[in-house]
Structures are given as C-alpha cells and as structure tokens.
Amino acid sequence: MFYVEAGAGDPLVLVMGFGGDHLAWGLQIPAFAAKYRVIAFDNRGVGQSDTPDTPYTTPMMADDTVGLMDVLGIARAHVCGVSMGGMIAQEIALRHPARVRTLQLHATLARPDAYMHALSDVWRERRPGIGREEWLRSLALWLFAPVTYAERPDDFAQAVSAFAGELASRMPSHPG
C-alpha cells in the first residue's frame, strides 16, 4: 500500500474516493501538514498500491486503512474521507471506533444507490478507452466544487497538469 506523510502533530488520515490517489490531496496536504501528521495513501487498485486479482469491498478497504495505521504506529487518528473515501471512513468508524479521534465526511453517502452504481459502471466502461489526461480532467471535475472551478480555474488546470505529470513519470501511457 503506497502512502506519503507530511507534517507533525496529531495524525490525520486522508482517504480518497473512487479512482483518485494520494495526489488528489495535493492542494490540502501542505495546509493540513502545518498542524497535523498527514497520511495520504493510494487505496488498493489505485495509483501505486497493489491491484488485487479479486473483487474488493468498502469494509476491506477500511481494514486496509487501519492496517496502514498499525504499520505506522497510529493508535487513533482524525479520519477525513471524500466521496468513496467517505464511505471507507464510515466503515472505519463502524468497524474500528476506538481508532477514530474525529471523522470528517465530504461529498459522500452511506451506501451507493442505483445512480452511483450506474455512474461507477460508466466510469469502469469508459476508462480503458480514454487517455490519462482526459480521465484526470473528468475526475478533477468531481474533486473541485463548482465555485472553486469558476473562481480559481488556474488551480483546476494546475491540479490536472500536476496529476498527469506525476502519473506520466511513474506509469506507462494507457492504450486508447
């Protein structure tokens, strides 16, 4: 399981959503690191973490996160999850309540409904057919609030460019 750390203080574990890796926290990590020991990681099947050859579930990914906390010697942490990462964070709180100091949930839900299943199916079907930068631009639209996109377009473009550049430096281009 790939992870990065920054800062010092109370541990803050950042759990990213569907398809995003630790780089999606790039704008938040420096601000959080001023006060916290920040841990951002790549969920299984994403970024630089392993991709198991079996189906995986949200509870399994919650246990992965707690396993990383164990490896890093973290007994309790502030846990922040966005989108699917919020669903994973909820599972951490339910399955391992003593490990969660505080819980922040952003742009998430308790369980996927028919709409979310349909959206996931479309992403799964479309991903192999589009290039890396186009995929990152579409994901970034889910990561930036409409007001941020409107008021800070340079941040959006910079994030997409940074994500694409980082990925290009460590992964071969996806055929498509």
Side-chain angles (χ1 to χ4, degrees), residues 44-115:
R44 58 170 72 201
V46 178
Q48 296 180 63
S49 288
D50 290 340
T51 302
D53 199 17
T54 59
Y56 27 99
T57 65
T58 305
M60 291 166 73
M61 295 169 94
D63 291 344
D64 290 346
T65 305
V66 171
L68 178 61
M69 290 170 62
D70 289 343
V71 167
L72 297 175
I74 299 170
R76 289 181 75 208
H78 301 284
V79 178
C80 177
V82 64
S83 192
M84 186 185 80
M87 296 171 72
I88 296 167
Q90 290 173 69
E91 284 290 335
I92 296 168
L94 291 169
R95 297 168 66 83
H96 309 278
R99 306 300 297 271
V100 178
R101 182 170 299 191
T102 63
L103 180 66
Q104 285 205 13
L105 305 173
H106 302 271
T108 193
L109 57 152
R111 69 179 65 84
D113 58 9
Y115 172 82

Side-chain angles (χ1 to χ4, degrees), residues 129-149:
I130 64 176
R132 180 177 31 248
E133 190 153 345
E134 184 180 349
W135 175 248
L136 290 170
R137 271 188 314 114
S138 71
L139 284 179
L141 287 168
W142 284 86
L143 299 176
F144 283 79
V147 68
T148 303
Y149 180 82

Side-chain angles (χ1 to χ4, degrees), residues 9 21 23 29-30 43 62 68 104 110 118 120 139 160 166-167:
D21 65 7
L23 297 171
I29 289 173
N43 285 310
L68 178 61
Q104 285 205 13
S120 295
L139 284 179
V160 171
E166 176 67 20
L167 286 175

